[in-house]
Amino acid sequence: HVQLVESGGGSVQAGGSLKLSCDGRGDPSRTNSMAWFRQAPGKEREGIATIDMDGTTTYADSVKGRFTTSKDNDKNILYLQMNSLKFEDTVTYYCAATGALWGACYSPPEEGDFGYWGQGTQVTVS
């Protein structure tokens, strides 16, 4: 079992940056493949980035070139560096994980491929 604990959300002006963290507490084998999703009120959850065990990443077109995901495998912490933030990036961000080594890190990722989820962190761009 693993618990994903997110941090780093907050308010920022358009054009600014924020860095989200997702701390995987527990069995690291449950976080072999990880992803970031985001969801606005009343809308479907959108997969925006994935990272696999080799560090290979994928990004949705909506964030490509602005967001970067990385993972510290020693600490089992996933990061999402968000630059050039736009008003439309104002949503709740979720990290997700699965123990699967393959089959989850597609663009866009599928919610059903990830069994562990963070609590969500709000990002507000004004």
Side-chain angles (χ1 to χ4, degrees):
H1 181 72
V2 67
Q3 182 185 16
L4 303 180
V5 180
E6 297 182 48
S7 60
S11 298
V12 65
Q13 290 188 338
S17 298
L18 278 177
K19 187 174 185 177
L20 306 183
S21 299
C22 174
D23 185 357
R25 300 175 181 177
D27 184 357
S29 73
R30 305 288 183 174
T31 60
N32 288 328
S33 299
M34 300 190 75
W36 290 98
F37 291 77
R38 65 183 185 181
Q39 188 172 25
K43 295 189 176 181
E44 293 187 357
R45 195 167 291 186
E46 174 192 18
I48 58 171
T50 68
I51 186 167
D52 67 13
M53 275 292 290
D54 295 328
T56 301
T57 56
T58 69
Y59 297 96
D61 288 343
S62 57
V63 305
K64 195 174 295 182
R66 301 188 298 123
F67 292 9
T68 302
T69 191
S70 60
K71 187 181 178 188
D72 184 329
N73 287 317
D74 291 336
K75 296 180 180 178
N76 204 27
I77 299 177
L78 177 71
Y79 300 101
L80 183 68
Q81 177 67 46
M82 305 185 293
N83 299 327
S84 302
L85 283 161
K86 303 176 181 179
F87 176 76
E88 52 263 42
D89 296 320
T90 297
V91 292
T92 301
Y93 288 76
Y94 299 88
C95 62
T98 174
L101 292 172
W102 301 280
C105 292
Y106 295 116
S107 182
E110 296 287 339
E111 286 186 64
D113 289 336
F114 297 87
Y116 301 98
W117 291 84
Q119 80 279 14
T121 187
Q122 176 69 33
V123 171
T124 302
V125 184
S126 59

